[in-house]
Amino acid sequence: MIKNIIVVGSGKGGVGKSTVTVNLAISLAKKNLNVGLLDADIYGPSIPKMLGIKEKPGVSEKKKIMPYTKYGIKSISIGNMIPDNGAVIWRGAMASSAIRQLFNDVDWKDLDYLLVDLPPGTGDIQLSLCQSLTLKGAVIVSTPQEVSLIDVRKSINMFKKVNVPILGIIQNMSFFEIEGKRNYIFGKNGVSLEAEKQNLKFLGDIPIFPEISESGDIGKPLTTEQKSEVFRIFSKIAEKTVDASNNIKIKD
């Protein structure tokens, strides 16, 4: 049984949503929770690379796909089933069907949380998942600049229209620190101000750490290292996410 399904979206690509999803999943698992991660980005799956998974998935005795277990979380992605440079050229309905199949045909067993890493935009895949799954809520990821927030607002409105509660919003790439001085490359506090404006919970602030992208490239997320600053930041975000989800009552 899966107790809580949370989608992680942004409405815009390039804001670090998949990186946030991976590290949030691992941080939740560090709190003795059973956590799964479903990569719903059919056209640009990056979760296998970030987790350092290259082999094809196995099949259980019940003819279910076996999720990978690494860094304390279970995961599955269409990227595990296609060649490294293979392109998925599917129409929206076919892509949505593939995601539902990944959800239904994977032997997740018991999970406290299943995080679903959504693709950018507000199209067929997002709507299909919101309407076919019983979601506990959505976590929004954005960088501070207005160019990102334009699309984030569209994503927020989509979730509201399909009655998916928004657990909160995360500000990624908030600043870059050099010799103790913060440089606000993408603007200052755009996400936290937007959260206040829309009466949304602000889940946390993630600065630009070069080692975050490096860790994704080598397949070892920084939240696996409990002494890192990144672990501390994501641990707090995970706590706030759990608190927010606990306050949501799903209607029958």
Side-chain angles (χ1 to χ4, degrees):
M1 183 181 78
I2 301 175
K3 295 179 180 177
N4 303 285
I5 304 175
I6 295 175
V7 293
V8 183
S10 64
K12 186 174 184 64
V15 299
K17 173 183 50 58
S18 295
T19 299
V20 169
T21 306
V22 166
N23 284 286
L24 177 57
I26 293 172
S27 298
L28 288 168
K30 293 284 187 182
K31 299 185 182 301
N32 296 318
L33 296 167
N34 293 319
V35 181
L37 172 53
L38 171 59
D39 185 359
D41 194 344
I42 288 288
Y43 304 110
S46 55
I47 299 301
K49 177 69 174 178
M50 292 182 180
L51 292 176
I53 298 172
K54 297 180 180 179
E55 63 273 14
K56 298 291 187 289
V59 179
S60 71
E61 294 179 356
K62 297 179 180 179
K63 306 301 180 183
K64 289 260 189 175
I65 300 170
M66 296 296 295
Y68 303 91
T69 300
K70 193 169 185 180
Y71 303 130
I73 64 173
K74 296 176 181 178
S75 70
I76 199 70
S77 168
I78 197 71
N80 297 125
M81 305 174 194
I82 60 175
D84 288 344
N85 296 321
V88 176
I89 308 173
W90 292 343
R91 294 188 184 277
M94 190 172 179
S96 299
S97 177
I99 293 299
R100 288 194 298 271
Q101 188 173 355
L102 280 181
F103 174 78
N104 292 316
D105 291 350
V106 170
D107 191 7
W108 294 108
K109 298 191 185 302
D110 292 334
L111 294 178
D112 295 304
Y113 287 92
L114 175 66
L115 300 189
V116 181
D117 182 30
L118 293 177
T122 55
D124 287 346
I125 292 177
Q126 292 85 346
L127 289 173
S128 176
L129 288 176
C130 289
Q131 292 170 345
S132 62
L133 302 181
T134 303
L135 302 179
K136 195 61 178 284
V139 169
I140 309 292
V141 179
S142 180
T143 49
Q145 77 267 40
E146 181 62 22
V147 169
S148 292
L149 290 169
I150 288 172
D151 290 333
V152 164
R153 293 185 191 107
K154 295 174 184 176
S155 185
I156 290 171
N157 288 332
M158 179 199 71
F159 288 125
K160 288 180 177 179
K161 286 182 178 180
V162 293
N163 297 315
V164 174
I166 298 173
L167 303 180
I169 187 166
I170 296 170
Q171 180 167 263
N172 194 28
M173 306 182 198
S174 56
F175 61 85
F176 183 61
E177 190 168 312
I178 303 176
E179 297 181 352
K181 181 180 179 181
R182 293 185 176 184
N183 297 268
Y184 297 93
I185 300 173
F186 300 116
K188 187 175 181 180
N189 299 330
V191 176
S192 56
L193 292 172
E194 186 68 26
E196 184 179 349
K197 179 180 177 181
Q198 298 220 29
N199 196 27
L200 297 174
K201 189 178 183 68
F202 184 63
L203 297 175
D205 196 48
I206 306 168
I208 298 173
F209 293 112
E211 54 267 34
I212 289 182
S213 60
E214 293 168 5
S215 66
D217 287 343
I218 65 173
K220 188 177 181 181
L222 280 180
T223 41
T224 59
E225 302 175 12
Q226 297 195 20
K227 294 183 179 180
S228 71
E229 177 70 5
V230 173
F231 173 84
R232 184 190 66 78
I233 291 171
F234 272 97
S235 182
K236 289 185 176 180
I237 292 174
E239 289 174 7
K240 291 182 179 180
T241 301
V242 170
D243 288 343
S245 67
N246 287 339
N247 290 328
I248 298 294
K249 304 296 182 184
I250 296 180
K251 296 180 181 179
D252 294 329

Short mmCIF file of all heavy atoms in Angstrom, two decimals, residues 17-18 39-48 77-79 82-99 102 117-121 123-126:
data_model
loop_
_atom_site.label_atom_id
_atom_site.label_comp_id
_atom_site.label_asym_id
_atom_site.label_seq_id
_atom_site.Cartn_x
_atom_site.Cartn_y
_atom_site.Cartn_z
N LYS A 17 14.31 20.68 -10.81
CA LYS A 17 13.22 19.93 -10.17
C LYS A 17 13.60 18.48 -9.89
O LYS A 17 13.32 17.96 -8.80
CB LYS A 17 11.98 20.00 -11.05
CG LYS A 17 10.82 19.15 -10.59
CD LYS A 17 9.66 19.22 -11.56
CE LYS A 17 10.07 18.98 -12.98
NZ LYS A 17 10.74 17.65 -13.20
N SER A 18 14.22 17.82 -10.87
CA SER A 18 14.59 16.41 -10.68
C SER A 18 15.65 16.27 -9.59
O SER A 18 15.60 15.33 -8.78
CB SER A 18 15.09 15.81 -12.00
OG SER A 18 14.05 15.77 -12.96
N ASP A 39 9.82 8.39 -11.86
CA ASP A 39 10.24 9.41 -12.83
C ASP A 39 9.19 9.48 -13.93
O ASP A 39 9.11 8.60 -14.79
CB ASP A 39 11.61 9.02 -13.40
CG ASP A 39 12.18 10.08 -14.33
OD1 ASP A 39 11.51 11.11 -14.54
OD2 ASP A 39 13.30 9.88 -14.84
N ALA A 40 8.37 10.52 -13.90
CA ALA A 40 7.30 10.67 -14.88
C ALA A 40 7.70 11.55 -16.06
O ALA A 40 6.85 11.89 -16.87
CB ALA A 40 6.05 11.24 -14.21
N ASP A 41 8.97 11.90 -16.13
CA ASP A 41 9.45 12.70 -17.26
C ASP A 41 9.82 11.76 -18.40
O ASP A 41 10.98 11.37 -18.56
CB ASP A 41 10.63 13.56 -16.84
CG ASP A 41 10.94 14.65 -17.86
OD1 ASP A 41 10.43 14.56 -19.00
OD2 ASP A 41 11.68 15.59 -17.52
N ILE A 42 8.81 11.38 -19.18
CA ILE A 42 8.99 10.40 -20.24
C ILE A 42 10.00 10.86 -21.29
O ILE A 42 10.83 10.08 -21.77
CB ILE A 42 7.63 10.12 -20.93
CG1 ILE A 42 6.72 9.31 -20.00
CG2 ILE A 42 7.83 9.39 -22.25
CD1 ILE A 42 7.14 7.88 -19.82
N TYR A 43 9.97 12.14 -21.63
CA TYR A 43 10.79 12.63 -22.74
C TYR A 43 12.21 13.01 -22.32
O TYR A 43 13.11 13.08 -23.16
CB TYR A 43 10.11 13.83 -23.40
CG TYR A 43 8.70 13.51 -23.88
CD1 TYR A 43 7.59 14.06 -23.24
CD2 TYR A 43 8.49 12.64 -24.93
CE1 TYR A 43 6.30 13.76 -23.67
CE2 TYR A 43 7.22 12.33 -25.37
CZ TYR A 43 6.12 12.89 -24.73
OH TYR A 43 4.85 12.58 -25.14
N GLY A 44 12.41 13.28 -21.03
CA GLY A 44 13.75 13.65 -20.57
C GLY A 44 14.06 13.05 -19.22
O GLY A 44 14.33 13.77 -18.25
N PRO A 45 14.04 11.71 -19.11
CA PRO A 45 14.27 11.07 -17.81
C PRO A 45 15.71 11.23 -17.35
O PRO A 45 16.64 10.91 -18.09
CB PRO A 45 13.94 9.59 -18.08
CG PRO A 45 14.20 9.42 -19.56
CD PRO A 45 13.82 10.72 -20.19
N SER A 46 15.90 11.73 -16.14
CA SER A 46 17.26 11.96 -15.63
C SER A 46 17.52 11.25 -14.31
O SER A 46 18.65 11.23 -13.83
CB SER A 46 17.50 13.46 -15.46
OG SER A 46 16.51 14.04 -14.63
N ILE A 47 16.47 10.66 -13.72
CA ILE A 47 16.62 10.02 -12.41
C ILE A 47 17.64 8.88 -12.44
O ILE A 47 18.47 8.77 -11.51
CB ILE A 47 15.25 9.52 -11.89
CG1 ILE A 47 14.29 10.70 -11.72
CG2 ILE A 47 15.43 8.78 -10.57
CD1 ILE A 47 14.74 11.78 -10.77
N PRO A 48 17.65 7.99 -13.46
CA PRO A 48 18.65 6.92 -13.47
C PRO A 48 20.09 7.44 -13.40
O PRO A 48 20.93 6.88 -12.69
CB PRO A 48 18.39 6.20 -14.80
CG PRO A 48 16.94 6.44 -15.08
CD PRO A 48 16.70 7.86 -14.60
N SER A 77 12.04 4.33 -13.73
CA SER A 77 12.01 5.37 -14.75
C SER A 77 11.98 4.72 -16.12
O SER A 77 12.53 3.62 -16.32
CB SER A 77 13.25 6.27 -14.64
OG SER A 77 13.39 7.12 -15.75
N ILE A 78 11.34 5.38 -17.07
CA ILE A 78 11.38 4.90 -18.45
C ILE A 78 12.82 4.93 -18.95
O ILE A 78 13.20 4.18 -19.85
CB ILE A 78 10.46 5.76 -19.36
CG1 ILE A 78 10.18 5.03 -20.68
CG2 ILE A 78 11.06 7.13 -19.61
CD1 ILE A 78 9.29 3.84 -20.55
N GLY A 79 13.64 5.78 -18.34
CA GLY A 79 15.05 5.87 -18.72
C GLY A 79 15.82 4.61 -18.43
O GLY A 79 16.89 4.38 -19.02
N ILE A 82 15.23 2.23 -21.87
CA ILE A 82 15.57 2.63 -23.23
C ILE A 82 17.08 2.87 -23.33
O ILE A 82 17.74 3.10 -22.32
CB ILE A 82 14.82 3.91 -23.65
CG1 ILE A 82 15.17 5.08 -22.70
CG2 ILE A 82 13.32 3.68 -23.68
CD1 ILE A 82 14.55 6.40 -23.12
N PRO A 83 17.67 2.81 -24.53
CA PRO A 83 19.10 3.10 -24.69
C PRO A 83 19.43 4.51 -24.20
O PRO A 83 18.58 5.40 -24.20
CB PRO A 83 19.31 2.97 -26.20
CG PRO A 83 18.19 2.11 -26.69
CD PRO A 83 17.02 2.43 -25.80
N ASP A 84 20.68 4.71 -23.81
CA ASP A 84 21.11 5.99 -23.25
C ASP A 84 20.75 7.17 -24.14
O ASP A 84 20.32 8.22 -23.67
CB ASP A 84 22.62 5.98 -23.01
CG ASP A 84 22.99 5.09 -21.83
OD1 ASP A 84 22.08 4.76 -21.04
OD2 ASP A 84 24.18 4.73 -21.71
N ASN A 85 20.94 7.02 -25.44
CA ASN A 85 20.67 8.12 -26.37
C ASN A 85 19.36 7.94 -27.12
O ASN A 85 19.09 8.63 -28.11
CB ASN A 85 21.83 8.25 -27.37
CG ASN A 85 23.13 8.63 -26.68
OD1 ASN A 85 23.13 9.43 -25.75
ND2 ASN A 85 24.22 8.03 -27.12
N GLY A 86 18.53 7.02 -26.64
CA GLY A 86 17.26 6.76 -27.30
C GLY A 86 16.24 7.84 -27.01
O GLY A 86 16.13 8.31 -25.89
N ALA A 87 15.49 8.23 -28.01
CA ALA A 87 14.45 9.26 -27.84
C ALA A 87 13.08 8.59 -27.79
O ALA A 87 12.78 7.70 -28.59
CB ALA A 87 14.49 10.25 -28.99
N VAL A 88 12.26 9.03 -26.83
CA VAL A 88 10.89 8.55 -26.75
C VAL A 88 10.02 9.49 -27.59
O VAL A 88 9.84 10.66 -27.24
CB VAL A 88 10.39 8.52 -25.29
CG1 VAL A 88 8.93 8.12 -25.23
CG2 VAL A 88 11.25 7.57 -24.47
N ILE A 89 9.50 8.99 -28.69
CA ILE A 89 8.70 9.81 -29.60
C ILE A 89 7.26 9.32 -29.53
O ILE A 89 6.80 8.53 -30.37
CB ILE A 89 9.25 9.76 -31.03
CG1 ILE A 89 10.75 10.08 -31.03
CG2 ILE A 89 8.52 10.74 -31.94
CD1 ILE A 89 11.43 9.88 -32.38
N TRP A 90 6.56 9.77 -28.49
CA TRP A 90 5.18 9.34 -28.25
C TRP A 90 4.27 10.56 -28.15
O TRP A 90 4.68 11.62 -27.68
CB TRP A 90 5.07 8.56 -26.94
CG TRP A 90 5.74 7.24 -26.94
CD1 TRP A 90 6.15 6.52 -28.02
CD2 TRP A 90 6.10 6.46 -25.78
NE1 TRP A 90 6.73 5.34 -27.61
CE2 TRP A 90 6.72 5.28 -26.26
CE3 TRP A 90 5.96 6.66 -24.41
CZ2 TRP A 90 7.18 4.30 -25.40
CZ3 TRP A 90 6.41 5.67 -23.55
CH2 TRP A 90 7.02 4.51 -24.04
N ARG A 91 3.03 10.37 -28.57
CA ARG A 91 2.03 11.40 -28.34
C ARG A 91 1.63 11.40 -26.87
O ARG A 91 1.90 10.45 -26.14
CB ARG A 91 0.81 11.18 -29.25
CG ARG A 91 1.13 11.34 -30.73
CD ARG A 91 -0.13 11.29 -31.56
NE ARG A 91 0.17 11.36 -32.99
CZ ARG A 91 0.38 12.48 -33.65
NH1 ARG A 91 0.34 13.63 -33.02
NH2 ARG A 91 0.64 12.45 -34.95
N GLY A 92 0.95 12.48 -26.46
CA GLY A 92 0.62 12.66 -25.05
C GLY A 92 -0.14 11.51 -24.42
O GLY A 92 0.17 11.06 -23.32
N ALA A 93 -1.13 10.98 -25.14
CA ALA A 93 -1.96 9.90 -24.59
C ALA A 93 -1.14 8.64 -24.34
O ALA A 93 -1.31 7.95 -23.33
CB ALA A 93 -3.12 9.60 -25.54
N MET A 94 -0.22 8.36 -25.25
CA MET A 94 0.63 7.17 -25.11
C MET A 94 1.60 7.34 -23.96
O MET A 94 1.86 6.40 -23.18
CB MET A 94 1.39 6.92 -26.42
CG MET A 94 2.10 5.59 -26.47
SD MET A 94 2.77 5.28 -28.12
CE MET A 94 3.56 3.69 -27.85
N ALA A 95 2.16 8.54 -23.82
CA ALA A 95 3.08 8.82 -22.71
C ALA A 95 2.36 8.71 -21.37
O ALA A 95 2.90 8.15 -20.41
CB ALA A 95 3.69 10.20 -22.88
N SER A 96 1.15 9.24 -21.30
CA SER A 96 0.36 9.17 -20.06
C SER A 96 0.06 7.72 -19.70
O SER A 96 0.12 7.33 -18.53
CB SER A 96 -0.95 9.94 -20.22
OG SER A 96 -0.70 11.31 -20.48
N SER A 97 -0.26 6.90 -20.71
CA SER A 97 -0.53 5.49 -20.49
C SER A 97 0.70 4.77 -19.95
O SER A 97 0.60 3.90 -19.06
CB SER A 97 -1.00 4.84 -21.79
OG SER A 97 -1.20 3.45 -21.62
N ALA A 98 1.87 5.13 -20.47
CA ALA A 98 3.12 4.51 -20.01
C ALA A 98 3.39 4.83 -18.54
O ALA A 98 3.84 3.96 -17.79
CB ALA A 98 4.28 4.99 -20.89
N ILE A 99 3.12 6.06 -18.14
CA ILE A 99 3.33 6.45 -16.75
C ILE A 99 2.39 5.69 -15.83
O ILE A 99 2.79 5.20 -14.76
CB ILE A 99 3.13 7.97 -16.57
CG1 ILE A 99 4.24 8.73 -17.30
CG2 ILE A 99 3.13 8.34 -15.09
CD1 ILE A 99 5.63 8.42 -16.79
N LEU A 102 3.73 2.28 -15.43
CA LEU A 102 4.86 2.25 -14.50
C LEU A 102 4.38 2.25 -13.05
O LEU A 102 4.95 1.59 -12.19
CB LEU A 102 5.79 3.44 -14.75
CG LEU A 102 6.78 3.35 -15.91
CD1 LEU A 102 7.62 4.61 -15.98
CD2 LEU A 102 7.67 2.13 -15.77
N ASP A 117 8.20 12.61 -10.03
CA ASP A 117 8.90 13.72 -10.67
C ASP A 117 8.23 14.03 -12.00
O ASP A 117 8.35 13.28 -12.97
CB ASP A 117 10.37 13.33 -10.88
CG ASP A 117 11.18 14.44 -11.51
OD1 ASP A 117 10.86 15.62 -11.27
OD2 ASP A 117 12.14 14.13 -12.25
N LEU A 118 7.48 15.12 -12.05
CA LEU A 118 6.71 15.48 -13.24
C LEU A 118 7.59 16.14 -14.31
O LEU A 118 8.58 16.80 -13.98
CB LEU A 118 5.58 16.45 -12.89
CG LEU A 118 4.44 15.93 -12.01
CD1 LEU A 118 3.47 17.06 -11.72
CD2 LEU A 118 3.72 14.77 -12.69
N PRO A 119 7.21 16.00 -15.57
CA PRO A 119 7.90 16.76 -16.63
C PRO A 119 7.48 18.22 -16.58
O PRO A 119 6.49 18.56 -15.91
CB PRO A 119 7.41 16.09 -17.91
CG PRO A 119 6.07 15.54 -17.55
CD PRO A 119 6.16 15.12 -16.12
N PRO A 120 8.19 19.10 -17.28
CA PRO A 120 7.77 20.51 -17.33
C PRO A 120 6.43 20.65 -18.03
O PRO A 120 6.04 19.80 -18.83
CB PRO A 120 8.89 21.16 -18.16
CG PRO A 120 10.04 20.22 -18.11
CD PRO A 120 9.44 18.85 -18.00
N GLY A 121 5.73 21.74 -17.73
CA GLY A 121 4.49 22.04 -18.43
C GLY A 121 3.24 21.65 -17.67
O GLY A 121 3.29 21.21 -16.51
N GLY A 123 0.56 19.70 -19.35
CA GLY A 123 -0.10 18.98 -20.43
C GLY A 123 -0.73 17.67 -20.04
O GLY A 123 -1.16 17.47 -18.89
N ASP A 124 -0.78 16.75 -21.00
CA ASP A 124 -1.49 15.49 -20.84
C ASP A 124 -1.00 14.66 -19.65
O ASP A 124 -1.79 14.10 -18.90
CB ASP A 124 -1.36 14.64 -22.11
CG ASP A 124 -2.20 15.17 -23.26
OD1 ASP A 124 -3.08 16.02 -22.99
OD2 ASP A 124 -1.99 14.76 -24.40
N ILE A 125 0.33 14.54 -19.51
CA ILE A 125 0.88 13.69 -18.46
C ILE A 125 0.48 14.22 -17.08
O ILE A 125 0.03 13.47 -16.21
CB ILE A 125 2.41 13.59 -18.58
CG1 ILE A 125 2.78 12.82 -19.85
CG2 ILE A 125 3.01 12.91 -17.35
CD1 ILE A 125 4.26 12.73 -20.12
N GLN A 126 0.65 15.52 -16.89
CA GLN A 126 0.31 16.11 -15.59
C GLN A 126 -1.18 15.94 -15.27
O GLN A 126 -1.54 15.52 -14.17
CB GLN A 126 0.66 17.61 -15.58
CG GLN A 126 2.14 17.92 -15.62
CD GLN A 126 2.70 17.95 -17.03
OE1 GLN A 126 2.08 17.50 -17.99
NE2 GLN A 126 3.91 18.47 -17.17
#
